[in-house]
Amino acid sequence: MVGGRVVVLGGLVGGGLVVVLRVGGGTVTVGTGLVVGATVVVGAAVVVGAAVVVGAAVVVGAAVVEGAAVVEGAAVVEGAAAVLVGALVVRTAAVVLAPASLVTRTDVVRVGSVEALVLVPSTDTSGDTGSASSLPERSRLKPTSSRLSAIRTAITATIVSVRLNPPTWALLRLVGLAVSAAMPRTLPGCQGMARDSSCSSDRQITPLLAGSTLCDSRHYPVDGNHNTKEVPVRLRFGTFMAPFHSPEHNPTLSLEQDLELIEHMDRLGFDEAWIGEHHSAGSEIIASPEIFIANAAARTKNIKLGTGVVSLPYHNPLWVAERMVLLDHLTRGRIMLGVGPGALPTDAAMLGLEPPEMRPLLHEYMQIVMQLLTSDEPVNYSSNRLTLTDARLHLRPYSDPLFDIAVAAVASPSGAKLAGKYGAGILSLGATVAVGMDVLAHHWSIQEEVAAVHGRTADRAKWRLVGLMHLAETEQEARRDVDYGMTQWFRYFQNVAAFPQMAVEGGDVDEMVNFVNGGLGVVGTPDQAVAQIEELLEQSNGGFGAYLMLAHNWANPEATKKSWDLFARHVMPRFQSGGGGLVGAADRARARRPELAEQQLRAVDEATQSYEEERQIILTTT
């Protein structure tokens, strides 16, 4: 590892084995030589015949294939065609070239603080699995080959030689510089960008050993100094709808109002709506998010609909999985599953559940749900609350491989741990309350650590933050709007719901608005909303996938719909690809307007003069 960066040395190892070593947070791939056949691996660039793999871009011949986040430990390249299999991605730069076979099996060996990931070609199917029991789980990959035990000593010796042989790094850097000099510096559209330059969707080929940085579509400028923040290519937006209604309101009309809001969001182009489950306290009136979603799905075309969340300890997990798969088919894949322990103690008390029981039950039932959704193996489970005997799903999911799954998280690390264990997303419900802001980046670190232990991938695109906003054309107008229902919402959390993680302060509406605008959210203008989201991106220390606005009903239905309209028109384009291009086009046109306008006037003058000259000739000849 050079300067804390990822370093790759060698290609194929030992007749088709590739060994990826992780040393103290960095990654080192060790092979038997710098060049093996036609494979050269240097820095973050992998050259395979006519194919070049750099960051998130794969260049095959003259074609550019752009994956999702490409590079995730066990990505596979088939034959000499250098085609990435599936949607897997490789952040460790461990690309495997296995003619006539795919590398689909994996194992992990640890020596001290060093971890070695061994990828074995699938042509060797004779392996036993006896040594896999003590190794970390690797999702969707078969256990170790029988040859693994025979090469443990060799791997250990290689690790030691790598750690104790400093000249290796000097040699590797020289090779990196030489290859980088021979390679094209940029792909089309990334014209000579220097380190820290502003990047959009272009790619820059700059091997890490050469001391440069990679430019790809996951980096966007966040200030005028061209500093960049790693965020998903397109930030998604939606709502987290508990919902919240005054107990004095007609519940039938309130539910209809919720459905109409989701229809409105669908027309505006919002991406997601998550629907809650509650059974007490008088304000959050949806008892079954699945039934509500079925109704909303019939009224909408594109927006994805999720349970936000199913309180898993309240239910038989077999029926939860069955209902979600049914909705997956009915919505043609627009369903999402969110799970949590249950927020209201008054709900749990009716089932005889105590708060300390909730999270252990969530973990047990989540394991059952995930096995049902991802495996054909029967589930057998017995406790004092539930018995399952040879339980299987009746239908398999419509989504391939599976619909989105997310776990609720507020302050406790429990949700982040569960998400990491199963490669799920996080619903950060308290992202903007004081306790949530303090643990925002910490939650992500927990998820990454747990995901690594279980052989999963923590994907920032699956991380959703929930916040509070009401927008109007001026802050004064927004303040007047929320006089309709903000007091009821605050009093609910101050005096009714036993949910201390959502502690809010304020005696009158002005104090409540000031409390929200003090960091909790925005009661104001679209520009204030943009600034709030940029602040959250900064605090997340790397970006997130979606921002969900809580459906709080602070304003009347008309003002609420206007708020969502303003957000869609003025805020969403700032974090999605469509708006930035138009702003850039306008800026470029503005910059060239004086020059082009002068050219236009000159062209008109020339045409007029030409006409007059022709007219004089005609008049003279006649």
Side-chain angles (χ1 to χ4, degrees), residues 369-423:
V369 168
M370 293 304 298
Q371 182 172 336
L372 289 167
L373 292 174
T374 60
S375 171
D376 291 324
E377 293 297 318
V379 173
N380 290 282
Y381 173 87
S382 181
S383 70
N384 60 347
R385 302 190 65 90
L386 175 69
T387 297
L388 295 175
T389 303
D390 290 339
R392 291 182 173 90
L393 288 184
H394 193 197
L395 290 175
R396 300 308 304 171
Y398 174 89
S399 297
D400 184 19
L402 189 59
F403 42 79
D404 279 358
I405 296 176
V407 183
V410 182
S412 164
S414 178
K417 288 171 58 179
L418 199 58
K421 181 177 181 179
Y422 294 105

Side-chain angles (χ1 to χ4, degrees), residues 201-212:
S201 61
D202 302 320
R203 306 295 199 271
Q204 185 177 15
I205 301 178
T206 50
L208 294 179
L209 284 178
S212 312

Side-chain angles (χ1 to χ4, degrees), residues 339-362:
V339 300
L344 296 178
T346 45
D347 290 354
M350 292 189 287
L351 296 172
L353 288 169
E354 298 290 337
E357 298 179 83
M358 307 299 283
R359 286 179 176 79
L361 277 176
L362 172 63

Side-chain angles (χ1 to χ4, degrees), residues 304 327-335 398-399 403:
K304 299 186 76 173
L327 280 172
D328 192 28
H329 284 267
L330 293 175
T331 63
R332 297 293 198 271
R334 284 198 287 144
I335 195 67
Y398 174 89
S399 297
F403 42 79

